[in-house]
Amino acid sequence: SGPEAELLTCKGGFVLETREDDQSGTPLSWQQLNALDLNYAPPTGAIAGTGPGEMVSIRRGSGANSMPTMPVAATTPAATAQPANSANPDELQYLRIEYRRGFRGNMNQRLVTFDNQILAVAGGVAGWADRLDSAKPELLGPRGMVLNTDQLVVAESPNRDPRFPQRASMELQAIGNVKIEGAQFTGLGYRLTYAQDKDQLVLEGDGRNDAELYSQQAAGAPRSRAAAGRLMFYPGTNRVDVEGGR
């Protein structure tokens, strides 16, 4: 084989589509990334692109790879369908991120940052062709969520579940004007972190204003409010832990 390219550049719009299977051929993940321009350096894994654009990822459970990998593989999803609301290790996890300005990161480190007017939707789906509607957070199930923020960092870490060592766990960090909505909660703050394998949201204020969380135990039940410098929320159980409340 010839020498590896130092820099790959795409201009005028592109779509990067990839998939990953396990050793038995069972699908683990499918991803699609589109943007106006792309610069990718294979030797280092550095990647950057300009928007507007979006990334879509579907993974099995705490599945392999939220983010596209190189090289491109051709596979195309089918029509949309209704989302599933159950949670189990083999449930398909859906993530879509819309961004305005661009993205940057490192494919080898499994880390990408999206900038400017971020809209993200995440949750479980029943099939590879299914999609979630960010306009209807009430239909996303107990672990589904819609996120608006100024900046979003998507990272992957090793899965702590010994049953699925080949799969990765997703982590999100949102910074600036954070609003997150689920079927039974709404959170507001300056910074948010989400760890998929812990089923944990951490919402923080900016030092002057508290983070706020409005939650209810069931649809139609009264909503309770918590406000503090730091709130920890577990969507699967609706548990709220408060630090620095006033």
Side-chain angles (χ1 to χ4, degrees):
S1 61
E4 186 175 37
E6 294 290 329
L7 181 66
L8 301 176
T9 299
C10 298
K11 298 288 186 181
F14 79 97
V15 177
L16 169 65
E17 194 171 310
T18 67
R19 62 171 290 168
E20 183 177 8
D21 300 335
D22 66 13
Q23 293 180 347
S24 68
T26 301
L28 289 179
S29 66
W30 173 87
Q31 309 89 23
Q32 186 179 82
L33 174 68
N34 66 68
L36 294 180
D37 303 306
L38 171 73
N39 290 306
Y40 173 59
T44 64
I47 189 171
T50 58
E54 71 171 16
M55 184 193 80
V56 180
S57 168
I58 303 178
R59 307 176 303 135
R60 186 177 299 280
S62 292
N65 295 341
S66 303
M67 294 169 286
T69 53
M70 301 290 183
V72 176
T75 180
T76 302
T80 60
Q82 294 299 315
N85 292 331
S86 62
N88 61 70
D90 278 327
E91 181 186 42
L92 299 178
Q93 300 295 323
Y94 175 89
L95 172 67
R96 185 178 79 249
I97 300 169
E98 300 175 17
Y99 62 92
R100 293 292 300 172
R101 181 177 300 161
F103 64 89
R104 62 194 185 280
N106 190 287
M107 304 306 291
N108 297 339
Q109 298 171 8
R110 313 305 302 162
L111 179 72
V112 176
T113 300
F114 298 89
D115 289 313
N116 194 245
Q117 298 182 33
I118 306 301
L119 172 62
V121 57
V125 293
W128 295 96
D130 292 4
R131 299 295 180 264
L132 298 182
D133 187 350
S134 60
K136 298 179 179 179
E138 69 276 7
L139 300 180
L140 298 183
R143 291 175 176 81
M145 60 193 73
V146 176
L147 173 66
N148 289 270
T149 186
D150 294 338
Q151 183 182 88
L152 181 63
V153 181
V154 182
E156 289 178 352
S157 61
N159 188 11
R160 296 181 178 91
D161 190 335
R163 296 173 298 169
F164 307 102
Q166 79 277 21
R167 303 183 186 179
S169 179
M170 179 181 66
E171 297 181 357
L172 303 177
Q173 183 181 79
I175 302 172
N177 295 308
V178 172
K179 180 181 181 181
I180 186 164
E181 296 179 273
Q184 297 174 14
F185 70 91
T186 299
L188 304 170
Y190 174 74
R191 182 188 301 269
L192 177 140
T193 57
Y194 170 67
Q196 180 189 34
D197 60 351
K198 298 179 181 178
D199 186 38
Q200 181 191 64
L201 290 169
V202 179
L203 194 61
E204 299 177 76
D206 61 5
R208 298 184 303 273
N209 301 298
D210 284 341
E212 297 178 87
L213 181 71
Y214 301 85
S215 62
Q216 57 188 154
Q217 292 300 314
R223 285 208 163 194
S224 61
R225 177 183 180 270
R230 190 168 188 261
L231 298 166
M232 287 174 288
F233 178 60
Y234 302 84
T237 61
N238 277 327
R239 187 181 115 204
V240 181
D241 294 337
V242 176
E243 291 184 11
R246 292 196 290 264

